[in-house]
Amino acid sequence: MKQLPRVLYLLAMNETKIQVAQVTRHGAPNVMEYKETTLDAPQSNELQVEIYYSGINFADILGRMGLYPTAPKPPYVPGFEISGKVIGIGDDSLSHWLGKSIMGLSRFNGYASATNISVDQVFEIDKSFLMHGAAIPVNYLTAYFMMITQCNLQKDEWVLIHGIGGGVGIAAIQIAQKLGAKIIGTASKGKHDRLKELGIEHLIDYRTEDFQSRSLDITDGKGVQVILDPLGGKALKKSYDSLSEFGRLVAYGFSQAAPGSTKNWLKILPEYLGMPKFDPMKLMMQNKGVFGFHLGMLKKRQDLVQETSQKLIDWLGDGTISPMVDTVFPLKDIQMAHQYIADRKNFGKVLLSSNK
Ligand SMILES: NC(=O)c1ccc[n+]([C@@H]2O[C@H](COP(=O)([O-])OP(=O)(O)OC[C@H]3O[C@@H](n4cnc5c(N)ncnc54)[C@H](OP(=O)(O)O)[C@@H]3O)[C@@H](O)[C@H]2O)c1
């Protein structure tokens, strides 16, 4: 693309009209509103991106319900990950980005037709991966950091992946298969057939079966080496009790706090109070380890985010990973998209597209 002087970009980009889907107040999917607004020119370290696809994450659902502590107060535009084309720059030194296809970590404001995003959160991708790119950053960085960086999951070790039919779950399957680990997954019954097609033999319907006793049966009573737990609450204790010696547990969510589509303190409190407190002496006596993971709280290891994102882009290119996109909703149908996830209809990733 031909390079324009910065002043022309700023003139051209001032008062850019964009469409967004915002949380107007905490509540059910019908609190989401699609509207037109304006976008400022990018700051000096930012790129302006025309968004092709935005990934919906479970954290967005929790945020809408008022259960995500680091979300802004409504009204705000959610959205942690995007893909699209760079259409503007905040500084001449970024001119080589113009016209590039990218995926990026947006830290809110991703449910939009365009946004400004810090250049260190943006990764160039081939334009053929524009759709899959929006399904990579959150799910795959999360699965990679937990399984590889934290737990050092090894070939032939058992890994228990809760919510295995969701976005992080399917990312975790593909990375565990790459490592040669043995997989156990929990998912609603309706997802089991499709999971079997992905090669997952050991599936637990957590609504009707006890995942702890099933995991112990499957591992001949030894327990599981690595467990990824987005459930939190009382279930986290059961996960801990399902670990083998040298087992590693990662706590990375609290989906037990959100059994419905609105906040319900009567359901949240017992789960919160039932969450285990881990005692170092007990960990020592049992030869087990517990990690916590929160992608949004990673502040000082952007080097690892950069390095891992590049590795994931390489894996996308060579077919090691391939996000499963369940549905693409037009941005204007945001309420339907959130309801679809609340109804647990998605298998893999749900995306928004402002071009549909
Ligand atoms: N700490 C971090 O940095 C981080 C990053 C990404 C995600 N997470 C957490 O990881 C979990 C999975 O995220 P995701 O984006 O992969 O979610 P997703 O694609 O929506 O999948 C979540 C899965 O969890 C199950 N589930 C449990 N409770 C649910 C509920 N109340 N409503 C709908 N589905 C529910 C569903 O499986 P079944 O139908 O089989 O029950 C669903 O397939 C969430 O708890 C999220 O907060 C944490």
Side-chain angles (χ1 to χ4, degrees):
M1 187 184 281
K2 193 164 179 290
Q3 191 176 329
L4 291 172
R6 173 174 155 71
V7 67
L8 283 187
Y9 281 119
L10 297 186
L11 279 175
M13 285 190 295
N14 268 344
E15 296 296 306
T16 304
K17 281 202 168 54
I18 60 167
Q19 287 75 44
V20 298
Q22 66 172 9
V23 175
T24 55
R25 61 182 195 284
H26 293 145
N30 64 1
V31 303
M32 300 300 298
E33 178 189 59
Y34 175 75
K35 64 172 234 177
E36 190 164 277
T37 183
T38 53
L39 178 67
D40 292 339
Q43 303 286 311
S44 59
N45 63 332
E46 288 180 336
L47 304 175
Q48 189 163 98
V49 176
E50 180 188 356
I51 298 175
Y52 285 29
Y53 298 97
S54 322
I56 301 186
N57 284 287
F58 198 72
D60 307 341
I61 309 293
L62 294 175
R64 191 205 71 226
M65 293 166 73
L67 289 172
Y68 199 72
T70 54
K73 284 209 174 96
Y76 72 93
V77 177
F80 289 112
E81 58 191 345
I82 57 165
S83 64
K85 285 243 159 91
V86 177
I87 53 167
I89 50 173
D91 189 278
D92 291 342
S93 65
L94 304 175
S95 59
H96 58 284
W97 279 100
L98 282 166
K100 295 254 163 84
S101 300
I102 60 99
M103 65 179 198
L105 282 163
S106 48
R107 304 216 171 169
F108 304 104
N109 298 313
Y111 288 14
S113 57
T115 195
N116 296 328
I117 177 167
S118 174
V119 67
D120 63 359
Q121 302 298 306
V122 169
F123 311 96
E124 186 177 355
I125 54 174
D126 188 88
K127 68 174 185 308
S128 61
F129 290 125
L130 269 169
M131 182 191 284
H132 288 125
I136 294 275
V138 174
N139 291 166
Y140 283 82
L141 284 173
T142 298
Y144 186 102
F145 282 137
M146 293 192 296
M147 289 196 292
I148 297 184
T149 314
Q150 291 184 313
C151 293
N152 191 20
L153 178 65
Q154 299 291 311
K155 184 170 184 300
D156 291 330
E157 282 194 313
W158 285 105
V159 56
L160 170 60
I161 303 169
H162 286 293
I164 194 168
V168 175
I170 288 171
I173 291 176
Q174 294 175 359
I175 295 174
Q177 287 174 334
K178 157 92 180 157
L179 297 173
K182 296 184 287 194
I183 301 171
I184 304 170
T186 68
S188 320
K189 187 79 186 156
K191 296 177 181 162
H192 286 207
D193 284 347
R194 277 175 293 177
L195 286 159
K196 282 185 189 145
E197 283 166 22
L198 299 180
I200 313 304
E201 277 175 54
H202 301 287
L203 288 164
I204 303 171
D205 176 5
Y206 64 94
R207 292 178 206 233
T208 57
E209 300 178 282
D210 180 78
F211 73 78
Q212 185 185 344
S213 58
R214 279 289 320 278
S215 301
L216 289 173
D217 284 350
I218 294 166
T219 57
D220 297 327
K222 294 196 180 77
V224 179
Q225 276 90 33
V226 169
I227 302 183
L228 311 182
D229 189 311
L231 308 169
K234 297 176 197 163
L236 191 61
K237 167 85 170 63
K238 281 170 79 80
S239 286
Y240 179 80
D241 290 338
S242 309
L243 283 178
S244 67
E245 288 181 346
F246 297 118
R248 293 87 80 196
L249 167 67
V250 191
Y252 76 107
F254 189 15
S255 63
Q256 294 292 86
S261 48
T262 51
K263 184 158 62 182
N264 180 344
W265 286 114
L266 289 176
K267 298 251 166 69
I268 297 168
L269 262 183
E271 289 293 340
Y272 182 75
L273 297 173
M275 191 113 72
K277 315 267 177 300
F278 294 104
D279 171 358
M281 291 303 286
K282 212 168 159 189
L283 293 174
M284 183 172 90
M285 302 312 270
Q286 298 184 337
N287 289 293
K288 293 181 180 181
V290 179
F291 290 94
F293 179 78
H294 194 315
L295 185 64
M297 291 291 131
L298 263 182
K299 302 228 180 325
K300 297 182 180 162
R301 294 309 308 268
Q302 283 310 311
D303 57 324
L304 279 184
V305 174
Q306 295 276 338
E307 186 185 308
T308 308
S309 299
Q310 199 46 59
K311 175 169 258 176
L312 292 171
I313 290 169
D314 293 345
W315 280 359
L316 184 64
D318 71 17
T320 301
I321 60 171
S322 177
M324 301 198 67
V325 176
D326 176 291
T327 310
V328 181
F329 284 90
L331 186 62
K332 66 179 168 46
D333 290 341
I334 184 62
Q335 295 187 359
M336 278 163 61
H338 270 216
Q339 190 60 53
Y340 186 79
I341 292 173
D343 293 341
R344 301 178 188 226
K345 289 187 176 152
N346 63 307
F347 184 75
K349 195 75 184 174
V350 179
L351 300 178
L352 298 168
S353 162
S354 43
N355 296 325
K356 280 184 94 179

